[in-house]
């Protein structure tokens, strides 16, 4: 006999002998038990003698084909033992059965002889379950029942399905609920968890194996068709048969429920065998193996077909019992779900019995969770509560471990809609904390895995449960749990953006995202803290504070989600190779990646990669734009996903389309709000905006369909006497169908959508139209003679309702009075008495009222919260209100369970822009109020994180208003920009300063005008640091450091001295608090701002520099004395940014140069000296870079020196400017190009100075330039000569003037010696190459000499005149003819002084000296170059001589001599 048979023999023999030996068995009423045990033992001994005999039972054969023992035929003794109700006998029997099932000896797959429609295993489970008779069942028996059922359900050989499976789960469930033994309770709960895990895992595994088999079968079939062989027929047959083989054993064995070794050939092994190529030598062996496999496969397939034949009826025949005791019928595996739209009206079939098992268990647990709990049984230890909690826990476990089949199969999706969501609608308002907590956890799982399918249900949960609990006086515990759930939801970026996209941008749904943010903002500010709670006493301050912190945490999580969503378009100037940066205190999104995705199937395609860690990520991440909009692979994946999931939107989530929807929705809501105040204006507004048609039917349809409209205002509008309002009322009524309805029911339906107006004429018009419509749709009733009868009856019902249900009416109308009131209304006849009595009774029982909506129910609940009640009354009211809320939500959930809506999974970054625009105001209020009022470190950190994230979002999307609001707000909280605020500095303000500096460091590229606020804070921070070190106490207002009114210390009274001592103490305290601003971290952070300016982009650095200059001006103009902190930083950033490209640097210097112009002319010489010295250092560094020809960067850079020299009259500053320029010339002359122009301009200004040192240094430097660097100054030759001319004209220093004229003469020599330099210069100008020498070289020299002649005193102008004509005579042979014309125009200007007003003395001196000298020199030059000059200048020369004679400059004798000389030369 085999080892397995010996094991079985041992179990059976010991158990039977133990039962026989028990004293209870020997009692007379257990005769059948004794007989059965004896017979079984005899059979076992016979088996031992004869060997193992093969029977026709359902046990699987051992692979080695050795004899075995069938345990099924020994079941009767154990069944009788269990029926004995004796604990010892029951325990023994159950223990043996459990071991037989565990070791595979009890299979039970043969029909039960007593009930052929059932199997032996069904009888076994029934017997085991029957052993539990309630709470009085022995603890040992309970434990054995649990073990046996667990073994049966998880066994790899015992197949327990459908009704039997549910019975096993039910019994284990009841043991947990009913047992008083804690060990048994724990064991039962763990057993249930394991059972469910096995049930659903088998379903998932079976689906995977089936899919693999189908794929393999397809491959085999294609291989066979391509290469036919003698085995083609056999391989095809095997391929056709094997997919029908049940693989439950293998899949279940893989689940590891129990250890059971089975060496039989598995289906996969058989498939592999068939798939392998077979050689001709092994043909017979393979054929024989195939025949064996075929026989086995056919038998197993027949068994499966028998099982499947039972699965024919629809699941609508399944029982809808509310607990596991009402087991469903197991005859059907097809279930017709309500609202299922997979096929139009078709049934959805289960693909396998394992799937049906999972569905039945899931549905039963959902119905168990809906079992009501009586108010008297709300104790957590009561059976009702424990049952509900256990069912919810098991449901949560199923959802947490759900596989692909559960997540995607339409049957389970419909089950979730119709059962689980409805159950949650009841439990989601439960006053029992544990039930409510589990409901929230289940909802989170649904939101994470099924939100694509549950769009409408999610709206109901948020709008009617979550937000109501937050906004009303619910218990603090419930609020806290809701906040905990929201914190998880708000931590997932995909979920947050999806909520906005699918609800706030949907015209027919509520603004979930906006309402959620508003509710969290109110809670974070303590706006609901005064609400009286019904269920519990008001929150303690600690609880309230915790809720505020949690609410702020949720808001910050929302902001971080938006930052995470838009990180791919954010550019951090301080990182390279990454598009995202790190922000301290961010969410650890890596913990939430697996939580809440677009759907169970969309995670891989639409969700953020798990490698992304949000704002706290530390590794490079794939840009979101590639994952969303730009990647073709991503697009194809998205299309594949939408093909597999029809509920996903067929089009991409175009931001423009959703923005348009949101805008339209905002207009509608604005119109609805206006309608609530002025109905006509509201309708007109909507029509003007184009969202509501002009036709009365459009308005009527709008009244019918939009539940947000105020019903009171609808009644007022349709009751108006204006023709358009009447037309709307007619259309509104005609849209209702009262066919076949009772008159009162029709009236109820008519009045359900609006509230009757109070004016009688309006009611009259409404009732008249209603009566006409009712008679029109009920012509066949024949009850009313005309519409007049219906009209009068309707009016009388309105009056009856008011009379019976109004508290103001003391004497109620009786039935007889009502009948008498309606006499003769039916065309002078009476309506039937019983008909009127029925109407009276119905109205008395239920008044006519509007259809209840969640909004009105919420308002009623909120209103009742404000009334004062005792504690007992509050509890009763709280329970009643929660029950009403539950009923309302349940009705809404059942309604939406039949509706299908498209769900759009967000992918585009641009959605964040409208999201933030919709929520920034409440978020700003929340973080601002909390940061102002709190001192809690955690809350301060959260608020600052909120500021950082908000500013990041506003910056990235260019939302200027939002960015400015947040930055200005946070800058105020630093207390550095508030008057007298610096004296109230606290640790939270220090943290705020650090945060603002961090924002500037990471978001500097986007701050633009907000740099002003940041830099102003940094400026004041430096002042605070000075105060902390005691260096600038005078900046503390009101302290001893200030001398108000100029009163000296010696003039103070004794009282003032006493106050001064107290001020000293106060100042010491302030200095101590200010000392924290000098911490190393703060100093390093500030330095990082300026050091990091080199990484700002081209526009940002200009904004940064511009506002730094503004702050510097404010510092320098301070009434308490100028400060140069920002000026120093300007110098620093100039050094840092000088290596930028020329285009960027020129934009920067355009701002900095203007600032240095102002600062260099500051009234305070220390400031001006610092500015000039800084300019010198910067210029030296800038000139080191050199400059290419034809560029003008140096010219722009050095212009401030020229401006300061021109505007600042301080000798010290002017001398410093000259010295700085001289130093640049001596050290960087080789690199100076276009900068020579500025240098000569500075020296030109210095040349007219009266300070000898300034003039001397400037002239010496100029002389050095001409002597050593003349060739480099060609670009600025005109300015150079002009500078020398200015030196020559300074009458205070004649020696310098003479030397300057010498240098001008030297310049003429340079022009003559190197004319090619001037020809090459200025090629871009519109001047010929020949004329360039004249325009750029000769003309400036001669013109400036003429200026010297006209401006200087006699000795200097005489020297200038001599040099001028000397140059003309010496180098005139190289002059062109037209050059001479220009030159003589300049020469003739020498005589212009004689044309000035009469100044006899000067005129006489000028006439006798300069004019005579000039006249002779002119004649001399004219004579020398007569041939060249006479054709062009002869007439001009004669005219000039004639004028000179007239003026008396020349005597007649001189004139005659000149003419003789002139004509003589002409003759020659």
């Amino acid at each position: 006999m085999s080892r397995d048979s010996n094991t079985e023999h041992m179990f059976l023999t010991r158990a039977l002998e133990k039962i026989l030996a028990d004293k209870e068995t020997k009692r007379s009423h257990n005769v059948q038990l004794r007989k059965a045990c004896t017979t079984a033992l005899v059979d076992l001994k016979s088996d031992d003698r004869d060997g193992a005999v093969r029977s026709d039972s359902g046990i699987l054969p051992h692979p080695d084909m050795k004899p075995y023992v069938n345990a099924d035929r020994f079941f009767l003794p154990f069944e009788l033992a269990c029926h004995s109700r004796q604990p010892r006998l029951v325990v023994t029997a159950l223990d043996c059965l459990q071991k037989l099932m565990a070791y595979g000896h009890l299979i039970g797959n043969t029909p039960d002889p007593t009930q052929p429609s059932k199997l032996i295993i069904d009888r076994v489970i029934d017997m085991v379950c029957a052993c539990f008779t309630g709470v009085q069942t022995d603890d040992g028996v309970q434990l054995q029942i649990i073990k046996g059922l667990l073994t049966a359900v998880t066994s790899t050989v015992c197949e327990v399905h459908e009704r039997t499976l549910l019975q096993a789960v039910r019994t284990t469930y009841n043991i947990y609920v009913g047992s008083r033994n804690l060990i048994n309770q724990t064991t039962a709960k763990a057993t249930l968890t394991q059972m469910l895990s096995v049930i659903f895992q088998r379903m998932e595994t079976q689906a995977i194996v089936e899919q693999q088999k189908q794929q393999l079968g397809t491959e085999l079939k294609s291989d066979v068709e391509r290469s036919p062989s003698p085995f083609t027929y056999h391989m095809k047959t095997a391929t056709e048969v094997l997919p029908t083989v049940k693989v439950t054993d293998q899949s279940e064995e893989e689940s590891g429920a129990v250890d059971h070794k089975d060496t039989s050939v598995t289906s996969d092994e058989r498939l592999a065998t068939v798939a392998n190529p077979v050689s001709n030598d092994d043909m017979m062996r393979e054929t024989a193996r195939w025949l064996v496999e075929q026989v086995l496969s056919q038998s197993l397939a027949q068994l499966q077909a028998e099982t499947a034949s039972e699965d024919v009826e629809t699941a609508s025949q399944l029982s809808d019992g509310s607990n596991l005791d009402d087991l469903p019928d197991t005859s059907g595996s097809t279930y017709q779900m309500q609202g299922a739209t997979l096929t139009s009206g078709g049934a959805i079939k289960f693909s396998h019995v394992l799937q049906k098992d999972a569905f039945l268990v899931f549905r039963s647990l959902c119905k168990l969770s809906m079992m009501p709990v009586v108010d008297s049984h709300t104790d957590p230890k009561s059976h009702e509560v424990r049952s509900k909690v256990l069912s919810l826990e098991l449901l949560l476990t199923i959802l947490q471990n759900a596989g692909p089949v559960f997540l995607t199969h339409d049957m389970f999706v419909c089950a979730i809609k119709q059962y689980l969501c409805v159950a949650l609608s009841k439990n989601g308002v439960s006053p029992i904390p544990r039930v409510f907590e589990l409901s929230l956890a289940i909802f989170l799982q649904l939101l994470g895995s099924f939100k694509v399918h549950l769009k409408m249900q999610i709206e109901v949960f948020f709008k009617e449960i979550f937000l109501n609990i937050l906004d009303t006086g619910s218990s603090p515990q419930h609020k806290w749990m809701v906040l905990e759930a929201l914190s998880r939801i708000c931590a997932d970026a995909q979920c947050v953006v999806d909520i906005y996209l699918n609800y706030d941008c949907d015209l027919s749904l509520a603004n979930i995202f906006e309402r959620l943010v508003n509710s969290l903002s109110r809670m974070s500010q303590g706006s609901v803290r005064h609400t009286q709670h019904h269920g519990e006493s008001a929150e303690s301050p600690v609880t309230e504070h915790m809720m505020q912190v949690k609410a702020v945490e949720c808001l910050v999580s929302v902001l971080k989600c938006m930052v995470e969503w838009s990180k791919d378009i954010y550019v951090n100037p301080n990182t390279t190779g990454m598009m995202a940066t790190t922000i301290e205190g961010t969410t650890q999104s890596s913990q939430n990646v697996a939580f809440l995705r677009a759907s169970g199937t969309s995670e891989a395609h639409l969700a953020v990669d798990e490698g992304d860690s949000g704002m706290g990520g530390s590794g490079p991440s794939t840009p979101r734009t590639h994952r969303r909009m730009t990647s073709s692979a991503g697009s194809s994946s998205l299309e594949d996903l939408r093909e597999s999931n029809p509920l996903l939107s067929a089009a991409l989530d175009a931001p423009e389309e959703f923005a348009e929807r949101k805008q339209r929705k905002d207009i509608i809501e604005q119109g609805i709000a206006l309608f609530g105040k002025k109905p006509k204006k509201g309708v007109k507004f909507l029509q003007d905006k184009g969202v509501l048609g002009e036709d009365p039917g459009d308005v009527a349809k709008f009244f019918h369909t939009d539940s947000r409209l105020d019903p009171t205002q609808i009644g007022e509008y349709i009751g108006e006497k204006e023709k358009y309002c009447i037309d709307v009322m007619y259309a509104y009524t005609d849209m209702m169908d009262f066919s076949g309805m009772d008159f009162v029911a029709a009236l109820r339906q008519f009045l359900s959508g609006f509230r009757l107006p109070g004016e009688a004429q309006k009611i009259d018009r409404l009732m008249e139209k209603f009566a006409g419509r009712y008679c029109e749709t009920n012509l066949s009733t024949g009850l009313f003679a005309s519409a007049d009868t219906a009209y009068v009856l309707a009016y009388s019902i309105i009056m009856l309702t008011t009379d019976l249900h109004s508290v103001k009416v003391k004497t109620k109308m009786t039935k007889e009075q009502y009948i008498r009131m309606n006499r003769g209304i039916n065309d002078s006849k009476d309506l039937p008495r019983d008909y009127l009595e029925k109407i009276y009774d119905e109205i008395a029982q239920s008044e006519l009222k509007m259809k209840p909506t969640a909004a009105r129910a919420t308002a009623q609940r909120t209103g009742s919260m404000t009334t004062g009640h005792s504690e007992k009354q509050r509890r009763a009211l709280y329970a009643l209100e929660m029950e009403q809320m539950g009923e309302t939500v349940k009705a809404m959930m059942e309604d939406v369970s039949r509706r299908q809506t498209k769900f759009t999974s967000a992918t585009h970054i641009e959605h964040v822009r409208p999201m933030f625009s919709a929520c920034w105001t409440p978020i700003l209020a929340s973080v601002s109020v909390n940061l102002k009022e709190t001192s809690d470190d955690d809350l301060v950190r959260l608020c600052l994180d909120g500021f950082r994230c908000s500013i990041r979002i506003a910056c990235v999307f260019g939302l200027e208003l939002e960015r400015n609001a947040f930055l200005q707000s946070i800058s105020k909280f630093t207390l550095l920009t508030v008057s007298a605020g610096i004296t109230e500095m606290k640790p939270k303000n220090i943290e705020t300063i650090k945060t603002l500096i961090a924002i500037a460091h990471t978001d500097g590229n986007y701050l633009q005008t907000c740099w002003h606020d940041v830099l102003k804070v940094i400026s004041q921070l430096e002042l605070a640091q000075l105060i902390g070190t005691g260096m600038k106490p005078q900046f503390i207002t009101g302290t001893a450091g200030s001398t108000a009114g100029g009163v000296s210390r010696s003039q103070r009274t004794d009282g003032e001295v006493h106050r001064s001592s107290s001020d000293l103490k106060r100042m010491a305290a302030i200095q101590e608090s200010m000392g924290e601003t000098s911490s190393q971290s703060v100093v390093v952070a500030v330095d990082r701002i300026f050091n990091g300016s080199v990484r700002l982009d081209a526009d940002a650095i200009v904004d940064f520099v511009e506002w730094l200059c503004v702050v510097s001006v404010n510092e320098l103009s301070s009434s308490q004395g100028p400060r140069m902190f920002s000026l120093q930083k300007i110098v620093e950033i100039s050094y840092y940014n000088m290596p930028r490209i020329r285009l960027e640097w020129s934009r920067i210097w355009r701002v900095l140069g203007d600032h240095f112009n102002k600062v260099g002319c500051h009234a305070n010489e220390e400031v001006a000296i610092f500015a000039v010295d800084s300019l010198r250092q910067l210029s030296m560094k800038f000139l080191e870079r050199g400059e290419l020809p034809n560029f003008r960067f140096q010219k722009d850079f050095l212009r401030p020196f020229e401006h300061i020299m021109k505007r600042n009259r301080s000798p010290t500053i002017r001398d410093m400017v000259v010295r700085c320029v001289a130093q640049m010339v001596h050290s960087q002359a080789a690199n100076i190009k276009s900068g020579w122009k500025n240098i000569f301009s500075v020296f030109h200004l210095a040349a007219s100075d009266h300070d000898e040192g300034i003039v001397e240094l400037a002239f010496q430097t100029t002389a050095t330039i001409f002597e050593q660097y003349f060739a480099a100054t060609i670009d600025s030759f005109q300015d150079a000569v002009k500078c020398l001319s200015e030196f020559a004209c300074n009458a205070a220093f004649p020696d310098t003037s003479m030397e300057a004229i010498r240098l001008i003469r030297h310049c003429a020599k340079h022009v003559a010696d190197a004319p090619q330099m001037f020809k090459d210069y200025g090629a871009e100008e519109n001047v010929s190459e020949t004329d360039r020498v004249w325009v750029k070289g000769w003309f400036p020299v001669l013109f400036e000499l003429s200026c010297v002649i006209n401006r200087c005193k006699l000795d200097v102008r005489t020297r200038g005149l001599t040099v001028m004509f000397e140059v003309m005579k010496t180098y005139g042979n190289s002059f062109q003819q037209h050059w001479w014309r220009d030159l003589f125009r300049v020469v003739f200007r020498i005589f212009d002084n004689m044309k000035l007003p009469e100044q006899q003395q000067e005129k006489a001196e000028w006439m006798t000296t300069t004019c005579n000298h000039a006249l002779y020199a002119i004649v001399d030059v004219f004579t020398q170059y007569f041939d060249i000059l006479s054709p062009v200048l002869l007439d001009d020369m004669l005219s000039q001589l004639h004028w000179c004679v007239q003026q008396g400059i020349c005597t007649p004798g001189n004139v005659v001599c000149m003419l003789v000389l002139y004509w003589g030369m002409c003759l020659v």
Side-chain angles (χ1 to χ4, degrees), residues 868-974:
H869 299 284
S870 64
E871 181 65 22
K872 184 176 181 181
Q873 290 174 328
R874 284 200 303 270
R875 291 183 180 275
L877 280 174
Y878 179 70
L880 178 62
E881 290 164 3
M882 295 299 285
E883 182 179 357
Q884 292 174 351
M885 182 193 298
E887 292 298 330
T888 303
V889 175
K890 181 182 178 183
M892 298 177 65
M893 197 65 71
E894 291 174 345
D895 178 59
V896 300
S897 65
R898 298 170 177 83
R899 296 163 60 183
Q900 293 278 2
T901 54
K902 293 290 185 181
F903 187 92
T904 303
S905 188
T907 60
H908 207 286
I909 294 176
E910 193 63 24
H911 296 311
V912 175
R913 182 193 301 272
M915 285 177 65
F916 187 71
S917 297
C919 70
W920 73 272
T921 305
I923 289 178
L924 176 59
S926 174
V927 295
S928 299
V929 169
N930 283 282
L931 187 59
K932 178 181 180 181
E933 297 179 354
T934 189
S935 297
D936 180 76
D937 293 340
D938 292 336
L939 187 53
V940 168
R941 177 184 57 80
L942 285 173
C943 293
L944 294 178
D945 280 349
F947 273 109
R948 297 182 70 178
C949 295
S950 300
I951 293 170
R952 167 72 58 80
I953 298 166
C955 287
V956 167
F957 290 97
L959 303 174
E960 185 175 355
L961 174 64
E962 292 83 346
R963 180 199 64 210
N964 294 347
F966 277 96
L967 262 167
Q968 290 171 6
S969 179
I970 193 175
S971 64
K972 291 179 182 178
F973 287 117
T974 62

Side-chain angles (χ1 to χ4, degrees), residues 101-159:
M101 287 186 291
Y103 284 88
H105 300 299
L106 180 60
I107 301 172
N109 59 350
T110 57
D112 182 8
T114 60
Q115 296 182 3
S117 62
K118 299 173 59 177
L119 301 178
I120 289 292
I121 191 62
D122 298 331
R123 182 178 171 187
V124 172
I125 298 301
D126 289 343
M127 183 269 295
V128 173
C129 294
C131 294
F132 179 73
T133 58
V135 294
Q136 70 277 7
T137 305
D138 182 75
D139 292 342
V141 174
Q142 294 178 11
L143 191 59
Q144 286 300 328
I145 294 173
I146 295 171
K147 291 172 60 179
L149 294 178
L150 176 62
T151 302
V153 173
T154 61
S155 173
T156 59
V157 293
C158 296
E159 294 191 9

Side-chain angles (χ1 to χ4, degrees), residues 1369 1414-1425 1437 1461 1465:
K1369 293 171 65 176
L1415 190 59
Y1416 278 103
I1418 290 172
V1419 173
D1420 190 21
V1421 171
F1422 199 91
T1423 303
Q1424 184 175 348
Y1425 299 105
M1437 184 67 182
L1461 178 62
M1465 294 186 67

Side-chain angles (χ1 to χ4, degrees), residues 4-42:
D4 290 344
S5 298
N6 291 332
T7 304
E8 180 188 19
H9 186 192
M10 176 185 66
F11 290 152
L12 292 172
T13 303
R14 289 184 179 180
L16 292 173
E17 290 176 349
K18 188 175 181 181
I19 292 174
L20 280 175
D22 194 281
K23 62 180 181 180
E24 293 294 337
T25 309
K26 299 176 181 179
R27 297 183 182 274
S28 58
H29 59 271
N30 290 324
V31 174
Q32 292 183 355
L33 175 60
R34 289 197 304 272
K35 183 179 179 180
C37 291
T38 304
T39 303
L41 286 173
V42 172

